[in-house]
Amino acid sequence: MVMKSQPGIGVSREGFREILEASSDGIIIAGEDGCILFWNHASERMFGYTPEEASVIKIVDLMPEEYHERHKEGFGKFIKTGKGSIMGRTVIVKARRRDAAVFPVELSLASHKSGGRWAVAAIIRDITERRAYEHKLAHQSRLLVKANKELALLAKISALLNQSMEFSELLNIILDTITQIDIFKLERSGGIFILRDGVLTLAAHLGHNEDFLEKHKAIKIGECLCGLAAETGEVVTSMNSHEDPRHTVSYEGMRPHAHIIVPLKAKDRVVGVLYLYLQKGIAVDSARKSFLESIGGILGVAISNSLLYEETRRLALHDPLTGLANKRLLNIELERNFVLAKRYERPFSCLMLDIDLFKVYNDSHGHVAGDQMLQKVAGAIKSSLRETDLAARYGGEEFCVILPETAVESAALVAGKIREAVKTKTGITASLGVAAFDSRMPGPGSMVESADRALYSAKKKGRDRVEVCPWP
């Protein structure tokens, strides 16, 4: 380490020593005359000068000759004006070692003036390995683009990263895009698995029959080639499905084929698997595998972003305690079904449910038990509905149910079924009000108000019952 004093500039030897111990980057401070005032061990290793040699050289000696005139002019201007074109910035420039070898560095400059004199501090990072790696990647990319014009299709995949769309739509676009790439002589067949809870579920597919889909609904980690790729996080290839013992899942009409299985990763975590078909006997070399890993990274990020988007959307539209729709989603669906019912004269009903004496239950059993009871009631409601129906937590211990394509008589029967399910599965009772769409209603809020009036009537008549509210 070199530390020299300069009039007007206080240099703490202990302070520099602490920086030296903590920094793997070169740290150099130079005075107005260009002489080096401070030089840490990382600088010694980087430039190859001994501490004694460093004490007599100037900052210009660490630059290639092509920079000398520019440095002289710029440094002189800085000393006079206090302004420099790269001062306060981080730039990539060339540096020169003691043996005259030139190498790339990342340079950050800062300045300080004390006692009327300037000192300039430089933080220097050798980026030789990084630049070599970047050049290598750029070279490989140029070769692949030149040899295969079809790789331009990958731009479509990258563009998906910046789009918000339905998850299923995203996967189908990705699959369709990938199977059009000719670099591996792909067949128009393949699919994408998504990894959830240790199981691969088929989320998108192309060119498969019903037996294939049935047998690939859920693939365990390590099972068949796709499960192996998910387990290892590595690209898996197979030249012949009929001769590869790892290919353990067969299906009706399966003919000999080759495979490329690509794990889809985001932040080194496997989020899915892309499987592609090739003609039997086609091998995939290491360069192609490496490129496929890059594709897997791109697709993995796209899928991860989409999953995050879908999960965020789900959380925004669902009650976190019960998992049912929240009031926001309820209002959206009420409006949509109301418009459809009015336009096409379709039947449409809704129910309001309130747990009987829930405050008493909450006070005597505690809030934790109360929350658990709300979850049980939500489960009882869902078990009594069709897939097309929507149950929502309206607020507190109140729930609302939308019944599309359902007349008031049928809605009353559904309400009775829910009432029985709540009593049987939870041991407590609930009261329900039923209301049906009427073309004279000004809006969907009128249906909810009608169902709420019916609910109030059920409460007033002794609870644990269903009441229907006519309109008006």
Side-chain angles (χ1 to χ4, degrees), residues 198-257:
V199 177
L200 292 168
T201 55
L202 193 57
H205 58 87
L206 181 66
H208 296 315
N209 59 32
E210 290 299 323
D211 191 52
F212 177 97
L213 299 179
E214 179 65 29
K215 292 180 178 177
H216 290 78
K217 282 183 177 179
I219 300 294
K220 297 176 182 178
I221 296 293
E223 182 182 6
C224 204
L225 298 177
C226 291
L228 181 62
E231 181 179 50
T232 62
E234 303 290 337
V235 174
V236 174
T237 61
S238 174
M239 294 179 64
N240 191 332
S241 58
H242 282 46
E243 297 177 358
D244 193 332
R246 301 172 301 170
H247 199 295
T248 56
V249 179
S250 59
Y251 51 92
E252 183 180 336
M254 187 176 85
R255 54 184 177 74
H257 58 270

Side-chain angles (χ1 to χ4, degrees), residues 420-435:
E420 288 296 330
V422 169
K423 183 184 292 188
T424 302
K425 295 183 178 183
T426 69
I428 63 173
T429 63
S431 301
L432 293 96
V434 181

Side-chain angles (χ1 to χ4, degrees), residues 388-442:
T388 55
D389 302 328
L390 178 73
R393 186 180 178 192
Y394 196 74
E397 66 271 26
E398 270 194 309
F399 298 84
C400 184
V401 178
I402 297 175
L403 302 173
E405 305 290 343
T406 306
V408 67
E409 297 82 5
S410 297
L413 294 175
V414 174
K417 184 180 177 183
I418 292 174
R419 185 185 68 84
E420 288 296 330
V422 169
K423 183 184 292 188
T424 302
K425 295 183 178 183
T426 69
I428 63 173
T429 63
S431 301
L432 293 96
V434 181
F437 166 78
D438 188 289
S439 59
R440 295 169 293 174
M441 288 178 172

Side-chain angles (χ1 to χ4, degrees), residues 102-168:
V102 176
F103 63 104
V105 297
E106 190 175 77
L107 173 67
S108 299
L109 292 178
S111 60
H112 176 72
K113 191 174 187 180
S114 179
R117 298 178 67 83
W118 284 103
V120 177
I123 299 176
I124 306 170
R125 175 172 297 175
D126 185 346
I127 59 171
T128 301
E129 291 186 3
R130 190 179 87 188
R131 293 303 293 271
Y133 182 67
E134 290 172 350
H135 287 314
K136 180 180 178 182
L137 287 180
H139 177 65
Q140 290 177 339
S141 178
R142 286 193 296 271
L143 288 177
L144 287 170
V145 170
K146 183 179 179 180
N148 305 284
K149 293 181 180 180
E150 294 86 352
L151 291 181
L153 291 172
L154 289 179
K156 295 182 181 179
I157 299 172
S158 297
L160 294 175
L161 292 171
N162 299 315
Q163 297 183 26
S164 295
M165 62 177 68
E166 291 295 328
F167 188 47
S168 58

Side-chain angles (χ1 to χ4, degrees), residues 23 30 36 50 61 128 176 184 192 200 212 238 254 272 284 343 375 400 409 413 421 461 472:
S23 178
I36 293 174
T50 65
D61 296 318
T128 301
D176 185 64
F184 302 116
I192 295 175
L200 292 168
F212 177 97
S238 174
M254 187 176 85
V284 181
R343 181 179 301 168
Q375 292 171 335
C400 184
E409 297 82 5
L413 294 175
K461 291 180 180 180

Side-chain angles (χ1 to χ4, degrees), residues 317-333:
L317 297 175
H318 289 78
D319 174 55
L321 178 63
T322 63
L324 300 181
N326 61 16
K327 209 166 182 178
R328 181 182 177 189
L329 179 57
L330 173 68
N331 289 334
I332 293 171
E333 289 301 310

Side-chain angles (χ1 to χ4, degrees), residues 50-63:
T50 65
E52 293 75 18
E53 291 171 327
S55 65
V56 297
I57 65 174
K58 292 188 175 184
I59 198 74
V60 72
D61 296 318
L62 305 178
M63 305 176 188

